[in-house]
Amino acid sequence: MWIPVAVTTLLFMLASVSAIFQARKGQWWTAVAVFLPSLGVAALLGGLEWQSTPLFWLAGMFVVAGFGAEAMAYWSTRTAGRGQVGQ
């Protein structure tokens, strides 16, 4: 019973540390892209009851928003790279 809780806690702690390091480097989209999906997965794995549909959809939205932030981080690095190549 305690193994899923320990795995969820470890996942959330590692993602939080990674997000903090990314934010300190000024990579905000990457920090959000790391933190939000881990928060959503931690909510889903951490004993979220399936009968509570609004919380399930909120956790799902965290995951989707994290993937959107990942796309924004990728897009911002691609456009920054194009500006440097043209110089």
Side-chain angles (χ1 to χ4, degrees):
M1 180 76 174
W2 62 272
I3 292 176
V5 174
V7 169
T8 303
T9 304
L10 180 64
L11 169 77
F12 187 69
M13 293 298 292
L14 289 174
S16 299
V17 169
S18 177
I20 289 170
F21 281 123
Q22 296 299 324
R24 292 187 80 191
K25 289 193 282 185
Q27 298 173 348
W28 292 100
W29 284 114
T30 306
V32 172
V34 168
F35 185 70
L36 281 181
S38 67
L39 182 63
V41 170
L44 288 173
L45 294 178
L48 184 66
E49 295 182 14
W50 293 100
Q51 293 86 10
S52 180
T53 354
L55 291 177
F56 172 77
W57 288 109
L58 180 65
M61 288 304 297
F62 280 153
V63 173
V64 170
F67 288 139
E70 179 68 31
M72 287 298 296
Y74 176 75
W75 180 72
S76 66
T77 57
R78 294 286 294 175
T79 56
R82 286 186 195 153
Q84 292 175 354
V85 170
Q87 290 180 352

